[in-house]
Every structure is written in structure tokens, then in C-alpha cells.
Amino acid sequence: MEEKTVMIRNLVKKFGSFTAVDNISFEVSRGEIFGFLGANGAGKTTAMRILCGLSKPTSGEGTVAGFSINSEQEQIKRHIGYMSQKFSLYPDLKVWENFELFGGIYGLNDKEIRIKTDSMLKALSLEDARNMYVRDMPLGWKQKLAFSIAMVHDPEIVFLDEPTGGVDPVTRRNFWETIYDAASKGVTVFVTTHYMDEAEYCDRVSIMVDGRIEALGSPAELKEAYGAADMDGVFTRIAGRGAAGQ
Amino acid sequence: MGNGAIEILGVSKSYGKTLALDNVSLEISKGEIFGLIGPDGAGKTSLFRILTTLTLPDAGTATVGGRDVVRDYSAIRCSIGYMPGHFALYQDLSVEENLKFYATVFGTTIEENYDTIRDIYSQIEMFRDRRARDLSGGMKQKLALCCALVHKPSVLFLDEPTTGVDAVSRREFWAMLGRIRESGVTIMVSTPYMDEAGLCDRIALILGGRIIGTGTPEEIVSGYPERLYAARGGNMFGILKVLRGVEGVTRCSSFGCECHVSVPEGGPDEKVLLRALAEAGMTGCSVEPIKAGIEDCFMSLS
């Protein structure tokens, strides 16, 4: 049986009378790059907060990294990685201090942190940047470093919330190659983006509209099903209907 | 005075050791949509803050509507609209209160300039009593645009109005800008999304505080210095690896389901590239010559 890192059944989240997430179900396999798309206000952030153990569902069930989204939220937090473009690293700390901070938060001991810092900096070819303040690093370095640190505790799955927003074209592409590398080593990647070309790099993509998953499949399947030349065309067809009602 | 709604000559600006703008010169004509295209940290906001008279340049001069940004700052402030990157809305005020506030600050009323904002305001007017913090992202954006337009500015500055906005809402927003331009307003807009460049009359590409290219989108694209091919099929990251190893390939980048391969005149052609893929065991691929897009140009210039 294929290993599932995420299994979600009939997930619902209501705020008062407003249904932000309306009965969604999906699975993500180990090592898969799963693109989680949707228009603004479609419910992506709400759903993602539940998957990360930050919010409880109104109803429905599921597991992330093997832990229940209803009863094992603390376990989920310990076993996932999270990175967003907006907040990931502390700019006023040095590179090694960021490793120490995040390693400590995730319960690594001093020795484990030292080993991780060495091996990750080596893999990134950033050994010489160990004593640099993060604020002084070029964006491309920062981004790769943030991605590594999000995985300092060897999580099964890493959540990337718009990791490439506002990033220049070259850095953005390099970052996707980093994502691809991690996935090929078995890390499950759950990613949101507004760049439709990046949707093409995902193994499978889901598109949320008004709290529901309107479409789910590989980019090739979705393009075929919606008769679109690219994912931008698919997204416009699906999300365009929802946006008209706003 | 020429036809320039905005003239920028040799503007530089540093923050401590960081050179945010490095000798920037641009001319923006009346009634055009001028796009400033570049990633975060390129200097877009610094340039906007100088043109909207919120920061002084260290060197160089700039005029907006013929007025000097240093000497005539108060006159400029009355005649421009500015929508900063982060929504400048009062979260605790309702839609209508926000709009009224901005109108009052500029000594006018909603009624007096209703024509200017009608097209956009009519889309959110049904929520006029809702607080700004309870609006969706798309509605906030529309309200912020109304607030920047309510005093009938002659020049509109929009700093990353579409950042973090989904692809469908972005398209709607650009359609609105087109209609605002028709009323004679000059629009200077910045964006990190390269695909929005084609919606501007003219653009400047900015990176590391320097303008690395300027012209109409067509001019920029036709100035691409090399031959470009698109490779399709199979595994994208596999294709990238193989084609980067082909001698004479300058750059090889993923573009959605295609891989763009840049090759100098006299370099490998599509047959050579296809053969390299086949030799690496990647069958069923296609390679064909294509025209460059803005994003190709940006990468080539950066």
C-alpha cells in the first residue's frame, strides 16, 4: 500500500454561520509535491491551519504525518515543517543561531543541532556563511536556508505557504529545484502559490473555490479535463466562476 | 516641459550601506500605464516614495506633473493618488467612512468625484457599511483603489497592487486600470509578476536598484539577444539537467510545463538538443524555436 502522509475526510470548518471549509477530502502520498491552489478567500489558509495543527475542524477527520487533526495537534506540530515567504528566519540572528533556535524549539539536543547545522550548511554550500547575520544574506541563500531549517527535525512533510512570492525569476526557479530535490528524497511537500507556472511543477494540484475542492489531479489531467493549454487556463476556468460571485 | 508626466533623472538613494536606487533615469508620458517590474528588494518602493514626496533622493532630480519632488512637494501631494503596498485602509472604519475620510483629506466629497470612482465603487457599494477589516482581499483592493482616486488625481501610483492576489482577481484589477487610463490618468504601477508586464504600455525592469531594461513590452521582447527553444515532454527536472550539460547552452530554465533553452547564434540547434535528450534516454520530447517573453528577458538581463 502506498504510504499516505495526509489523509483528510469530510473536513468542515465554520466561523459562526460562515462555512470557510466545506466538506473537503483528499490524500497526499509520501514524497509527493502537492499544490494547494485557490482564489483569495477560498479557504486555503483555514484548511492549512487545520493541517498544521493550529486550528480544530468543526467536523471531519484525518491524519497528518500519522497524527489525528482532532486529538493530536501537538504531535502534528512537532512532526511537520513550515515555511512561508513572509516569516521564516530571524534576520537579527546569525545563521548558526537560527539553527540553534529552531533546532531547540523542535527538541533536538546540542549534539544533534551541531550535526544538522554542519550537514545542512554543507549541502547548501553555505559553510562560510555560518557566522553571517541572516539579514545580510542574498534572498536566494535565505530562501534555501529557510527551507533547510524548516526540515531541521526531519519532518515527513513540509508546508510551504507562498514560498516564492515576490521573488526574482532566477531565484524562484532555483528554489523549485530545491523543492524537487527534497521530494525525490521522500519528503512530502505541500505548497501554495499564486504563480501558475509553478503549479505545473507539482505532482498533483487541488483547486479550492468557496470552501470546496473543485478540481484535483495531476496538471496533465486537469489541463485535459478543462481543455486548457496551461494551468493558468485551468485556474481561470475553475476559480473564475467563484470570483464572479464576490 | 516635455510630454512627461513623470521625469526621473539620475536618482540615487541609500539606506546606510545599502544602495536602494543607483542612478535611475526614466520618463513616463501622460496617460500611459507604466510598469516597474522587479522582485522584492529591487528598489521599486524606494522610487515610489521619492516620487510621492515621502523620501528625499540622495542625488538626482525628479518631477511629477512638471513639479519638482523636493521643492514642490505640497503641490504634488494634492495632485497624485498613491496606493502603497500594504493596504492603507482604516480597518475599523466602514467602506463608506474610509472613502469619505480620503475625500475630506483632499478637500472634496464622494459626490463631487463620483464619476471618477463609479466603475469600481459600484462593485463594493453594497458593502458600504461593512468594516474594512471584514472585506475579502479583492474587495479591500477595490476600496483602496477608490480611496486613491477619490480626489481625481492626474497621476496614480500603485505599489504592488496585485501582490498575493490570485490570478483571476489580478486580471480583473488590470481591466480596471485600463478603464482608469482611458479617463486620462497616468498610472505608474509596480509588480513582481512578469506576466503583468504585457498589460502595460511601457515598462522598466528593475533589479538591485538599477534599471536593466526599458521600453514597450514588444521592444523588450524583440531585443532578446539569443535564440530560444522550448523543450517539452517527460520529466521537467530531468530535461533541465540534460540540457544544461549540452555545450553552448547559455541558460536553461523551467517555464511551467516547458523548459526554455537559451543558445547564442551558432550554438546548438533544436536537432542537437533533441538528440541530447534522446541519448539520455528521454524519448517523446519535443524541442522547437520560440519567441522570448518578458521573464526570459529579465533573466537574460539580470
Side-chain angles (χ1 to χ4, degrees):
Chain A
M1 196 191 100
E2 207 179 358
E3 214 177 315
K4 302 291 181 197
T5 313
V6 178
M7 278 197 283
I8 294 298
R9 286 276 165 272
N10 305 115
L11 184 69
V12 174
K13 179 73 185 186
K14 292 185 180 178
F15 298 106
S17 62
F18 175 68
T19 306
V21 176
D22 187 4
N23 196 19
I24 64 173
S25 302
F26 64 94
E27 294 177 343
V28 183
S29 303
R30 186 175 151 83
E32 188 172 29
I33 302 177
F34 189 82
F36 198 56
L37 311 185
N40 300 112
K44 289 192 308 282
T45 304
T46 305
M48 213 150 128
R49 286 177 58 83
I50 294 171
L51 296 181
C52 292
L54 297 172
S55 160
K56 279 201 174 178
T58 306
S59 65
E61 55 198 62
T63 57
V64 174
F67 299 101
S68 161
I69 55 170
N70 287 300
S71 57
E72 294 173 306
Q73 292 184 306
E74 287 311 309
Q75 287 298 322
I76 289 179
K77 286 183 207 165
R78 283 167 202 276
H79 288 88
I80 63 167
Y82 178 85
M83 168 190 169
S84 84
Q85 178 62 22
K86 286 181 201 106
F87 172 77
S88 311
L89 298 174
Y90 287 89
D92 292 338
L93 294 181
K94 291 177 178 172
V95 168
W96 70 266
E97 291 171 327
N98 270 282
F99 271 104
E100 195 164 280
L101 175 67
F102 284 99
I105 287 172
Y106 283 112
L108 274 61
N109 64 35
D110 288 354
K111 190 180 166 207
E112 287 167 331
I113 290 173
R114 211 168 48 239
I115 292 170
K116 272 288 174 197
T117 307
D118 290 346
S119 66
M120 285 186 152
L121 287 178
K122 185 154 185 249
L124 297 171
S125 307
L126 287 179
E127 290 123 308
D128 296 339
R130 178 186 298 265
N131 288 314
M132 219 171 158
Y133 284 104
V134 164
R135 62 163 181 259
D136 295 330
M137 298 177 97
L139 179 64
W141 292 14
K142 250 188 259 186
Q143 208 176 29
K144 282 185 192 174
L145 184 67
F147 186 57
S148 285
I149 288 186
M151 295 189 295
V152 71
H153 53 304
D154 292 320
E156 251 178 77
I157 179 169
V158 57
F159 289 85
L160 306 175
D161 193 2
E162 291 187 36
T164 56
V167 174
D168 70 82
V170 176
T171 309
R172 193 155 79 77
R173 286 176 171 75
N174 288 341
F175 186 67
W176 268 92
E177 290 178 35
T178 315
I179 293 178
Y180 186 79
D181 251 8
S184 65
K185 288 172 187 147
V187 178
T188 307
V189 178
F190 191 98
V191 59
T192 71
T193 180
H194 285 306
Y195 291 100
M196 287 306 126
D197 59 333
E198 295 184 350
E200 308 270 0
Y201 311 146
C202 300
D203 295 314
R204 283 189 310 142
V205 167
S206 81
I207 301 178
M208 274 188 89
V209 179
D210 297 337
R212 291 183 310 278
I213 291 183
E214 279 297 309
L216 177 65
S218 70
E221 287 164 1
L222 294 179
K223 282 183 275 186
E224 164 100 43
Y226 290 89
D230 51 25
M231 283 305 291
D232 191 43
V234 172
F235 187 82
T236 307
R237 292 254 168 110
I238 296 171
R241 287 181 236 140
Q246 278 199 1
Chain B
M1 204 64 249
N3 207 19
I6 304 171
E7 291 180 3
I8 305 162
L9 198 63
V11 163
S12 294
K13 177 77 189 176
S14 297
Y15 301 102
K17 281 182 287 179
T18 310
L19 186 57
L21 292 172
D22 185 4
N23 195 18
V24 168
S25 297
L26 288 172
E27 192 173 327
I28 291 134
S29 306
K30 268 183 197 143
E32 72 177 348
I33 297 184
F34 189 91
L36 192 60
I37 320 280
D40 288 357
K44 302 190 298 294
T45 299
S46 294
L47 188 57
F48 272 74
R49 291 182 59 84
I50 287 169
L51 295 176
T52 53
T53 78
L54 299 173
T55 307
L56 297 173
D58 295 340
T61 57
T63 62
V64 175
R67 298 180 175 112
D68 184 85
V69 291
V70 178
R71 208 179 48 233
D72 309 322
Y73 70 92
S74 66
I76 288 179
R77 287 180 189 179
C78 296
S79 65
I80 61 168
Y82 176 39
M83 185 170 148
H86 298 281
F87 289 116
L89 295 173
Y90 291 89
Q91 303 293 334
D92 290 344
L93 296 185
S94 70
V95 166
E96 192 174 22
E97 285 166 344
N98 266 288
L99 196 54
K100 248 186 195 154
F101 173 78
Y102 280 94
T104 313
V105 165
F106 285 103
T108 182
T109 60
I110 299 176
E111 293 71 30
E112 197 174 325
N113 287 323
Y114 191 73
D115 276 353
T116 318
I117 57 167
R118 184 204 321 259
D119 179 42
I120 307 157
Y121 191 53
S122 61
Q123 299 174 46
I124 52 171
E125 211 169 359
M126 64 192 106
F127 305 111
R128 68 162 77 89
D129 295 324
R130 195 180 285 190
R131 287 186 191 198
R133 65 160 177 252
D134 297 327
L135 296 175
S136 72
M139 288 196 284
K140 272 187 193 160
Q141 191 192 40
K142 284 173 186 156
L143 176 57
L145 190 55
C146 286
C147 290
L149 274 174
V150 71
H151 60 294
K152 246 186 177 161
S154 54
V155 182
L156 187 58
F157 292 93
L158 306 172
D159 194 4
E160 298 207 18
T162 55
T163 291
V165 174
D166 68 74
V168 172
S169 305
R170 285 204 274 141
R171 210 156 298 146
E172 283 181 4
F173 190 79
W174 277 92
M176 285 189 281
L177 293 193
R179 291 194 291 272
I180 294 170
R181 188 228 352 231
E182 277 166 32
S183 68
V185 178
T186 305
I187 301 174
M188 185 164 179
V189 55
S190 69
T191 177
Y193 296 103
M194 304 282 150
D195 59 348
E196 295 182 344
L199 303 167
C200 303
D201 299 314
R202 286 196 312 131
I203 58 173
L205 306 179
I206 184 168
L207 184 68
R210 291 185 311 116
I211 303 296
I212 58 174
T214 181
T216 64
E218 295 74 25
E219 283 165 358
I220 301 254
V221 163
S222 64
Y224 191 77
E226 296 195 316
R227 282 188 282 126
L228 197 66
Y229 297 99
R232 277 174 167 267
N235 175 319
M236 168 63 52
F237 291 91
I239 293 181
L240 281 177
K241 271 197 185 130
V242 172
L243 294 183
R244 276 180 192 155
V246 175
E247 199 181 319
V249 167
T250 313
R251 195 177 42 255
C252 190
S253 326
S254 52
F255 269 78
C257 55
E258 292 177 351
C259 166
H260 289 191
V261 193
S262 190
V263 174
E265 252 350 289
D269 61 8
E270 62 256 57
K271 288 192 193 100
V272 176
L273 297 173
L274 200 56
R275 199 183 317 134
L277 288 170
E279 279 168 9
M282 297 187 166
T283 48
C285 295
S286 68
V287 180
E288 56 184 44
I290 52 161
K291 279 171 75 176
I294 295 289
E295 198 156 1
D296 296 298
C297 295
F298 195 97
M299 288 199 277
S300 139
L301 291 164
S302 61

